[in-house]
Amino acid sequence: MDRDKRARLEGTWAHQYRSHALPLIDEDRFAKYFDPGNGRPNKSVRMVVSVLILKELKNLTDEEALEQLEWNTAWHYAFDVTPEEAHTCQKTLHNFRKLLVDDDEGAGLFESTTARLIEAAGLSTRRQRLDSTHIVSNIKLLTRLGLFVDTITMFLKELRREHPRICAQVAEELLGRYLDREGYFADARSSEAKRRLSEAAVDVYWLVERFADHRSVAAMKSFELLRRLYEEQCVAPQSATPEKVELQEKPSSSSLQSPSDPDVTYGHKGKGYEVQLTETCGEGNPFEVVTSVSVNGAHESDQHQVEPAIEQVERTCGAAPEELDADSGYASGENILKAKEHGTELVAPIGSNGPKSPVTISDFQFDETGKKVVQCPAGQRPVEHRGTSGGKAILACFGPKQCEGCFLRDVCPAEPRRKHRVVRFTRADVAVAQRRMEQETPEFKERYKLRSGIEATNSELKRRHGFGKPRVRRRSRISLSVRLKVLGMNIKRYVGHLVDVLAPTAEPVSCFC
């Protein structure tokens, strides 16, 4: 290149990626893929990883990513390869991606690269925020009738392809409905859908009964899905030759939602997956990065995701955050205590649980450990504390004379026992009570405002990087895809910051994101 063009190139993202981001990729962690038995890599590992990251960041197909690698000068410069070296085949990308999926090394790549990035940029990880967002894999969203039809059709197509002689034993009328008369179910009017769904349920029953004991057919994956559909959606008929098969009124939220992606489940946000993201939110940080990312079923509650998120942050950052901001979906007494065990304060409001009683646990004063009542709302101190037989709850015992004539006696949660009136509570109850009081203060509300910033990150991932509908199916592949997208966004923010700081006067060019 001539001097002017090279100067312009050095003012773009490609130069900062080559100088600062490319070295963050730890090639040593992939050495296990290329032991003496497998041979050495025939392509630069950093180049292949970079192609996979930019592919996900730009939401490209393999062919589009490889075309960019072949002809895009900025990619050549960013990956530190010559135009002659800037070539690989689709098989290489596929094989490397499969290695990452098989041993879940995508998580290690995300954590190790992000850890190096945080150190290089000098970011504070003391305060972070947690949120979930809904995504859908590369599937068609089906009605209940569509689910039955597609599952039966998938099975019959595989049966005809793999076992044509056995397929010939299936009634021609049934084959005709799903294989030879395409549209029989698809063009059903809404008034006909219920009747046709009943037909499809009977067809599922007969196919499962016919081939359940056939060793070759029962081993087919499409038959396993068919049997799963029957067990989750249908009620076993009383007769051996039923004319109608009843359907489950409310199938489980973890039931089959699509034969194309059996891992998809159903939650209050719809069919798909939930992705958990934890992001830094330090006031002095020039930019923020995501420190943990995980994929779980759409039917799984956020209540179970706090501790796994903190543990991943510990692996990425070397320590748990001192403060973790989250919405009320993550808030519970148990989660507040679990976070505290990691040295983290979970800042999340507790949702309402119905009409408030005149006197609750919140009105009692507890010590710092949350294991003892200091005094009741009337100012009385308990005479003793006991543990319950299971050891989970604590009983604060008040003498009968202490409660005689108390103006709160009729509304107090204390229960009469043989010799005492006792208040039963757990440490989680105390954590909830204290949080309910704290979240009403102006200080808490001001402090909590910073949590909403992660919504912009969710929006950025979905609008710009295809995060809402990845190009793949199945949970393991979805997990790798979203980790690469989030890692790419972290690198994009780092590189963008370096471009702004180190080359603020450079002529604007299209960014790699």
Side-chain angles (χ1 to χ4, degrees):
M1 293 181 182
D2 60 55
R3 183 183 302 174
D4 292 341
K5 190 167 186 177
R6 183 176 181 86
R8 291 196 297 273
L9 181 60
E10 291 178 349
T12 68
W13 68 271
H15 181 70
Q16 303 305 333
Y17 186 96
R18 172 183 178 140
S19 303
H20 298 91
L22 193 64
L24 299 178
I25 301 172
D26 182 10
E27 289 189 319
D28 292 340
R29 72 178 313 110
F30 304 108
K32 59 187 177 183
Y33 298 156
F34 307 103
D35 58 29
N38 292 334
R40 296 186 303 170
N42 59 356
K43 294 293 179 183
S44 164
V45 171
R46 283 179 174 168
M47 184 190 77
V48 175
V49 171
S50 294
V51 171
L52 291 175
I53 290 174
L54 266 67
K55 170 191 177 298
E56 294 295 344
L57 194 67
K58 293 178 69 67
N59 198 29
L60 304 175
T61 63
D62 281 359
E63 291 75 13
E64 290 168 341
L66 292 174
E67 183 178 4
Q68 291 294 317
L69 175 64
E70 188 80 39
W71 307 111
N72 192 320
T73 302
W75 282 39
H76 302 166
Y77 185 72
F79 302 161
D80 194 16
V81 294
T82 64
E84 293 74 24
E85 298 169 330
H87 173 80
T88 190
C89 64
Q90 197 276 335
K91 185 68 173 176
T92 299
L93 287 187
H94 168 78
N95 289 344
F96 198 86
R97 194 162 44 223
K98 187 175 186 302
L99 291 170
L100 292 174
V101 168
D102 288 347
D103 66 356
D104 201 26
E105 188 56 50
L109 172 65
F110 170 82
E111 291 168 10
S112 65
T113 308
T114 300
R116 290 182 167 196
L117 190 157
I118 290 171
E119 182 180 5
L123 301 179
S124 170
T125 59
R126 183 192 68 80
R127 185 176 184 183
Q128 301 192 34
R129 51 199 175 198
L130 171 66
D131 195 21
S132 65
T133 188
H134 185 75
I135 66 171
V136 182
S137 59
N138 190 23
I139 60 171
K140 178 175 66 174
L141 297 180
L142 301 172
T143 62
R144 199 175 193 183
L145 175 59
L147 173 63
F148 272 75
V149 172
D150 281 15
T151 307
I152 296 172
T153 302
M154 178 182 288
F155 166 67
L156 291 177
K157 284 184 176 179
E158 185 178 4
L159 183 67
R160 185 165 63 178
R161 183 176 65 252
E162 301 294 333
H163 306 285
R165 292 184 180 179
I166 299 175
C167 185
Q169 301 173 16
V170 179
E172 292 185 5
E173 182 184 358
L174 192 151
L175 291 174
R177 282 200 292 271
Y178 298 95
L179 298 181
D180 303 325
R181 288 174 58 189
E182 293 185 9
Y184 175 75
F185 288 97
D187 62 357
R189 298 177 181 177
S190 57
S191 58
E192 300 174 339
K194 187 174 182 179
R195 177 178 62 82
R196 295 198 177 184
L197 178 59
S198 180
E199 289 181 18
V202 173
D203 292 340
V204 169
Y205 169 78
W206 282 114
L207 289 170
V208 170
E209 286 296 304
R210 171 67 180 80
F211 296 110
D213 297 326
H214 194 291
R215 181 179 301 178
S216 299
V217 176
M220 294 166 52
K221 290 184 178 180
S222 59
F223 182 78
E224 292 175 2
L225 292 177
L226 191 71
R227 178 155 46 191
R228 177 183 168 187
L229 178 71
Y230 172 71
E231 293 172 352
E232 294 175 341
Q233 297 274 353
C234 301
V235 178
Q238 300 296 322
S239 169
T241 57
E243 295 182 359
K244 183 178 180 181
V245 174
E246 297 293 334
L247 297 175
Q248 296 280 358
E249 185 176 352
K250 290 185 178 180
S252 168
S253 58
S254 61
S255 61
L256 183 70
Q257 302 296 321
S258 170
S260 301
D261 189 347
D263 297 334
V264 166
T265 57
Y266 183 83
H268 69 280
K269 295 181 181 178
K271 300 177 182 181
Y273 299 90
E274 292 296 305
V275 179
Q276 304 290 332
L277 299 172
T278 309
E279 181 184 49
T280 60
C281 53
E283 295 181 359
N285 288 342
F287 61 95
E288 309 298 349
V289 296
V290 173
T291 57
S292 81
V293 54
S294 62
V295 177
N296 52 273
H299 68 295
E300 297 180 48
S301 171
D302 289 344
Q303 284 286 319
H304 307 300
Q305 308 306 323
V306 172
E307 192 167 28
I310 293 176
E311 290 172 349
Q312 189 179 9
V313 170
E314 288 177 327
R315 294 194 298 270
T316 302
C317 305
E322 295 176 18
E323 180 180 318
L324 182 63
D325 300 339
D327 62 33
S328 58
Y330 298 90
S332 68
E334 290 79 7
N335 282 340
I336 291 173
L337 295 177
K338 287 179 181 178
K340 195 172 184 180
E341 291 174 2
H342 291 266
T344 299
E345 180 185 3
L346 178 62
V347 180
I350 301 290
S352 173
N353 58 354
K356 183 179 179 181
S357 302
V359 179
T360 65
I361 290 293
S362 303
D363 299 307
F364 286 73
Q365 184 179 342
F366 295 87
D367 66 359
E368 293 182 357
T369 65
K371 297 180 179 180
K372 291 185 177 182
V373 173
V374 176
Q375 66 179 25
C376 74
Q380 297 292 334
R381 294 177 177 273
V383 295
E384 65 173 314
H385 288 83
R386 300 177 190 166
T388 58
S389 57
K392 294 183 179 181
I394 303 170
L395 301 178
C397 304
F398 294 85
K401 293 183 179 180
Q402 289 178 292
C403 299
E404 286 181 3
C406 178
F407 67 100
L408 297 174
R409 182 185 177 93
D410 294 338
V411 294
C412 181
E415 301 173 355
R417 296 289 175 93
R418 291 181 180 178
K419 297 181 180 180
H420 302 93
R421 287 178 64 87
V422 300
V423 175
R424 179 189 177 94
F425 65 94
T426 64
R427 291 184 62 208
D429 293 333
V430 176
V432 169
Q434 292 173 340
R435 176 54 49 83
R436 287 191 188 281
M437 295 179 63
E438 181 187 4
Q439 68 192 34
E440 297 301 323
T441 63
E443 292 78 13
F444 181 92
K445 294 176 181 178
E446 183 64 29
R447 180 186 184 190
Y448 185 66
K449 287 181 180 179
L450 203 58
R451 188 217 69 86
S452 62
I454 198 170
E455 302 291 352
T457 296
N458 291 336
S459 177
E460 178 183 353
L461 285 166
K462 289 184 174 181
R463 289 185 299 103
R464 303 186 65 179
H465 307 307
F467 195 77
K469 193 173 179 66
R471 293 179 178 272
V472 292
R473 301 168 183 166
R474 303 305 299 261
R475 184 165 175 169
S476 59
R477 296 171 187 165
I478 291 286
S479 294
L480 177 61
S481 175
V482 301
R483 283 168 177 152
L484 290 175
K485 286 180 185 293
V486 174
L487 177 58
M489 185 191 68
N490 286 346
I491 293 175
K492 178 194 74 173
R493 290 179 174 183
Y494 178 44
V495 169
H497 166 69
L498 293 174
V499 170
D500 292 340
V501 172
L502 302 180
T505 60
E507 181 180 337
V509 295
S510 60
C511 182
F512 75 99
C513 61

